Amino acid sequence: MTRGRRILAWTTASLVLLLAALVVFVATFDWNRIKPTLNARVSETLGRPFAINGDLSVRWQREPSEPGLRAWVPWPHVTAEDLTLGNPEWAGKQPFVTLRRVEASLSPLPLLWKTVAIPRIDLTEPRADLRRRADGRDNWTFDTLASSPEQADEEPSAWTLDIGAIGFDKGQVKVDDQPSQTRLELLVDPLGKPIPFSDIVGEKAAGKVAEQGDAPQDYAFGWTAKGSYKGQALDGSGKIGGLLALKDARKPFPLQADLRIGATRIALAGTLTDPTHLGALDLRLKLAGDSLGNLYPLTGVTLPDTPAYSTDGRLVAQLQDPAGPQFHYQGFNGAIGDSDIHGDLHYVAHPPRPKLSGALTSNQLRFADLAPLIGADSNAEKKERGVAGKQPADKVLPVEAFRTERWRQMDADVRFTGKRIVHSDKLPFNDLDTHVVLDDGKLSLEPLRFGMAGGTLDSTIHLDGGSVPLQGRARLSARHFKLKQLFPTFEPMRTSFGELNGDADLAGTGNSVAALLGTANGDLKLLVNDGAVSRGLMEIAGLNVGNYLVGKLFGDDEVKINCAAADLKLAKGLVTPRVFIFDTENALIQVDGSANLASERLDLTVTPESKGVRIFSLRSPLYVRGTFKKPDAGVKAVPLIARGAGMVVLGAVVAPAAGLLALVAPSGGGDVTNTCAPLLEKMRKAN
């Protein structure tokens, strides 16, 4: 053998021996010896204590799944037991994350191009404790700033980390988030057998998602949650996809949840796109609860107090839109109280305030379900919704305060249409149409329009919630209310061509309906022609005092009313009549006195004047006193001096008569004339 060959042989043998020694060394090396150095290095990098408290080992084995010759290359498989990662100092000594075991395999070939490729990591019994203080500090944000100026000037590392699948068995996450008042414990557990996405959302919904791009993966984990959110008890469960989908922004991540937060139930199923950056949502969303107003502390969306509700629709959200996160609740159907509700709502969270817009429709609207909007529901109804009753037992006007502090948190532009209103015969509303606009605390309903008794009630309402106290103004116009439709069960009205027409213009200050009316200034005009009255009609209307007055004036017979005219002045909540007169076939009846809307007290005098056509026995005035809740009526002791045909009464109310003539209109069409016209014309000419 030549010298060159001997050198080559010795060199080869030395390399083989060296490689064998290296393999033996690596295979037999006690990796626990590097734990102190490794723990210190990781702690320094993360800025918080890290430790592998248990055994650290590496075993080498081939990966049969690798193609070709690469299947013969042994891979290192690392196992570490009992790992802990601590919290920053402000969060206490409890660990941030603990793991009973971590197993990972490292692909060696990518190391040649400076990539640490870990196809899979398996975590055993992971536990995390997430905390955020009121000042915004959280324990999941790592301070990885360089500890020295020299390190700060170093170039970024050329190495990259590529992690594939992450598997784990039962995990636990505790959350203590002070800004959102959230404290909960979340348990996550593999399902054992994945559940197809279509099994949860249905074949139709799954097909629509697949048409938009990649098909969602199966549900892989189940979870349960218990604790509190915004101070309300939280309890829920659901399913999520595997963690592999988290790294692919294009692949929809499946979600399913059924939550109860206080009295609110939330059920959802669908997908989250680009989950690591909260890209977009596409969910079927069901909501149910005692009142829509209870959603405000949970969502920040200002909604009115309502009876119990439920909705079911599709929620599509773009969470990273440049104009702000956008949520679109599409084609939802549901119920509020005994009323149905349908529509589309769009919510944009952009400065200076988020905005809610859309259109809502109710095919059958129960009028009583509107009462909570102005606090006019009873204390018992409030109790059913879990709201403390605030209406005093001796008060009629609603005293519940408007939540104006919420008005300034959101803008709104919503159109609402109630196609049919269900109500008793006492108040036959037909339909409702309104446009609600909320802008920087200013609420307007323009128009607020009801169809009623064959006519319309048109109104505009403006409430300035930005002023203290609240300032409000309302303009109302009642036109062509048919008396026979207002009182359909009263036989004498069924052939009447009479109508009710009226106008009101009121302005007041205060944070409730009672306060606004108790300070109101303005005018109220009302005209009723060609009607009839009896004690039976008062019973139908539920007016006990009216029943007494009609009985005293007319006995038990029906009496024809040619005209009833009222022109009322409001000054600081005190209602006084300029004109308040009834022209019947028997007598001319005048009402004087006042009604105090602030104290809810009445002090009225009803003075009859016989026309001399028929016998009219009552020769003394009547009084109505007491509160709105419990009025009292009786006969005044002072007898009424006889007067002729009511002309003295007419002379006292001549001046305002011209203002009421504007409300005179043909009541039945054709040649039928308004029976108020002769009376008002006579009053006007008497001046």
Side-chain angles (χ1 to χ4, degrees):
M1 180 181 293
T2 64
R3 183 179 179 183
R5 290 184 176 181
R6 286 198 301 272
I7 293 174
L8 178 61
W10 278 105
T11 301
T12 302
S14 299
L15 290 174
V16 171
L17 289 173
L18 182 60
L19 181 61
L22 181 61
V23 170
V24 172
F25 173 78
V26 171
T28 60
F29 179 73
D30 184 3
W31 293 92
N32 290 296
R33 295 181 181 181
I34 70 169
K35 284 197 307 182
T37 302
L38 180 61
N39 290 344
R41 181 63 176 170
V42 175
S43 298
E44 180 183 2
T45 301
L46 297 180
R48 59 179 69 182
F50 169 81
I52 301 175
N53 302 302
D55 184 56
L56 175 63
S57 62
V58 178
R59 71 181 188 277
W60 295 77
Q61 64 185 48
R62 293 180 298 158
E63 288 290 326
S65 60
E66 289 291 291
L69 295 176
R70 287 194 294 178
W72 293 90
V73 178
W75 286 24
H77 293 259
V78 182
T79 301
E81 297 183 347
D82 190 11
L83 291 83
T84 60
L85 177 61
N87 271 308
E89 291 184 3
W90 60 263
K93 296 183 179 180
Q94 292 295 323
F96 168 55
V97 172
T98 64
L99 294 159
R100 191 168 71 84
R101 176 193 292 265
V102 175
E103 296 181 75
S105 56
L106 176 66
S107 180
L109 292 181
L111 295 173
L112 298 177
W113 47 85
K114 297 185 177 182
T115 298
V116 179
I118 304 176
R120 182 177 177 85
I121 294 180
D122 289 297
L123 310 176
T124 303
E125 294 184 13
R127 297 175 182 268
D129 186 4
L130 307 181
R131 302 182 188 181
R132 184 168 61 163
R133 286 190 169 180
D135 59 11
R137 288 183 295 172
D138 63 68
N139 67 344
W140 58 84
T141 299
F142 290 83
D143 182 8
T144 57
L145 294 176
S147 58
S148 68
E150 292 79 8
Q151 290 175 313
D153 294 335
E154 291 180 359
E155 294 289 333
S157 174
W159 289 81
T160 59
L161 177 64
D162 180 15
I163 298 178
I166 300 176
F168 63 89
D169 59 4
K170 180 179 291 187
Q172 181 185 60
V173 179
K174 291 184 177 180
V175 179
D176 183 358
D177 187 51
Q178 294 180 6
S180 64
Q181 299 176 270
T182 300
R183 294 179 64 92
L184 61 86
E185 182 174 323
L186 182 68
L187 298 177
V188 183
D189 207 0
L191 291 173
K193 182 180 180 181
I195 299 176
F197 180 71
S198 59
D199 286 3
I200 301 295
V201 303
E203 294 288 348
K204 184 177 180 180
K208 289 182 178 179
V209 174
E211 290 174 2
Q212 298 173 4
D214 293 339
Q217 66 171 239
D218 296 339
Y219 292 94
F221 295 94
W223 60 268
T224 59
K226 195 172 186 64
S228 63
Y229 176 69
K230 296 291 186 180
Q232 300 186 49
L234 180 150
D235 189 6
S237 61
K239 302 174 184 64
I240 58 173
L243 299 185
L244 180 61
L246 293 175
K247 58 179 295 187
D248 188 349
R250 299 167 301 175
K251 195 172 185 66
F253 184 77
L255 301 171
Q256 185 268 328
D258 192 339
L259 293 169
R260 287 188 179 274
I261 306 175
T264 301
R265 180 175 179 180
I266 304 170
L268 58 87
T271 62
L272 169 62
T273 303
D274 192 7
T276 58
H277 298 94
L278 295 178
L281 289 169
D282 190 345
L283 306 169
R284 180 181 179 184
L285 175 63
K286 298 180 180 180
L287 294 170
D290 291 339
S291 170
L292 285 172
N294 293 341
L295 289 176
Y296 176 77
L298 305 180
T299 65
V301 179
T302 301
L303 295 170
D305 288 321
T306 66
Y309 71 93
S310 63
T311 67
D312 183 357
R314 180 188 181 193
L315 177 67
V316 178
Q318 296 296 330
L319 304 177
Q320 299 298 327
D321 193 285
Q326 305 207 19
F327 300 84
H328 193 181
Y329 198 23
Q330 300 176 347
F332 67 84
N333 300 293
I336 298 177
D338 293 326
S339 307
D340 66 288
I341 189 77
H342 317 272
D344 292 88
L345 290 173
H346 188 214
Y347 182 80
V348 183
H350 60 60
R353 292 171 303 279
K355 184 173 183 178
L356 180 71
S357 57
L360 303 174
T361 301
S362 176
N363 294 318
Q364 182 164 291
L365 177 64
R366 183 171 171 262
F367 194 80
D369 294 331
L370 297 174
L373 302 182
I374 58 171
D377 49 338
S378 67
N379 288 340
E381 291 169 326
K382 288 185 175 71
K383 186 176 180 180
E384 290 180 3
R385 304 199 313 271
V387 178
K390 300 179 181 179
Q391 187 69 20
D394 60 341
K395 295 293 183 181
V396 173
L397 300 177
V399 302
E400 185 171 353
F402 298 117
R403 296 180 176 181
T404 55
E405 75 283 356
R406 296 184 177 183
W407 296 5
R408 295 185 289 272
Q409 303 302 314
M410 186 189 81
D411 292 343
D413 188 338
V414 178
R415 172 74 70 171
F416 178 77
T417 303
K419 296 183 178 180
R420 178 174 177 267
I421 297 180
V422 179
H423 199 282
S424 67
D425 292 336
K426 296 179 182 178
L427 202 57
F429 286 95
N430 307 319
D431 52 59
L432 166 64
D433 178 45
T434 187
H435 184 197
V436 181
V437 176
L438 181 61
D439 183 14
D440 196 16
K442 296 180 176 65
L443 176 66
S444 66
L445 289 82
E446 188 173 0
L448 174 59
R449 180 180 297 119
F450 287 93
M452 181 178 176
T456 58
L457 177 61
D458 277 301
S459 60
T460 60
I461 297 176
H462 296 274
L463 302 173
D464 185 356
S467 62
V468 180
L470 179 146
Q471 296 181 4
R473 180 155 195 171
R475 291 186 174 93
L476 301 92
S477 175
R479 291 294 182 269
H480 306 300
F481 286 8
K482 304 296 187 294
L483 296 182
K484 60 184 177 183
Q485 294 185 37
L486 276 174
F487 304 101
T489 61
F490 184 52
E491 187 64 34
M493 291 285 198
R494 292 186 178 182
T495 58
S496 170
F497 291 102
E499 290 186 347
L500 181 152
N501 293 279
D503 287 322
D505 189 347
L506 307 174
T509 59
N511 210 33
S512 67
V513 173
L516 286 168
L517 292 176
T519 60
N521 298 302
D523 300 283
L524 173 63
K525 296 180 175 66
L526 195 67
L527 209 62
V528 178
N529 71 284
D530 189 22
V533 66
S534 72
R535 296 181 66 175
L537 177 62
M538 295 298 101
E539 291 177 359
I540 292 172
L543 301 175
N544 294 328
V545 170
N547 190 323
Y548 172 84
L549 295 176
V550 171
K552 283 292 183 181
L553 291 170
F554 308 117
D556 293 329
D557 297 331
E558 287 93 8
V559 176
K560 180 177 175 58
I561 295 180
N562 299 318
C563 177
D567 184 346
L568 309 178
K569 175 186 177 182
L570 281 80
K572 296 182 179 180
L574 187 66
V575 184
T576 55
R578 299 187 185 98
V579 175
F580 200 165
I581 193 167
F582 292 83
D583 179 25
T584 74
E585 58 186 347
N586 293 351
L588 199 64
I589 300 167
Q590 182 182 358
V591 180
D592 296 301
S594 65
N596 193 319
L597 300 180
S599 61
E600 295 196 7
R601 297 196 67 83
L602 297 165
D603 187 5
L604 301 175
T605 299
V606 181
T607 305
E609 290 280 351
S610 175
K611 289 185 174 181
V613 177
R614 297 186 181 182
I615 297 174
F616 190 75
S617 61
L618 184 63
R619 307 298 297 163
S620 296
L622 304 173
Y623 67 81
V624 179
R625 300 171 187 153
T627 66
F628 292 0
K629 192 77 171 182
K630 292 183 178 180
D632 179 43
V635 180
K636 284 194 172 185
V638 179
L640 181 67
I641 300 174
R643 295 183 244 186
M647 288 309 299
V648 175
V649 175
L650 290 180
V653 295
V654 166
L660 288 168
L661 282 169
L663 297 178
V664 175
S667 58
D671 296 328
V672 181
T673 58
N674 190 301
T675 54
C676 278
L679 175 67
L680 295 178
E681 188 64 26
K682 181 186 294 186
M683 293 165 60
R684 186 180 67 84
K685 290 180 177 179
N687 194 29

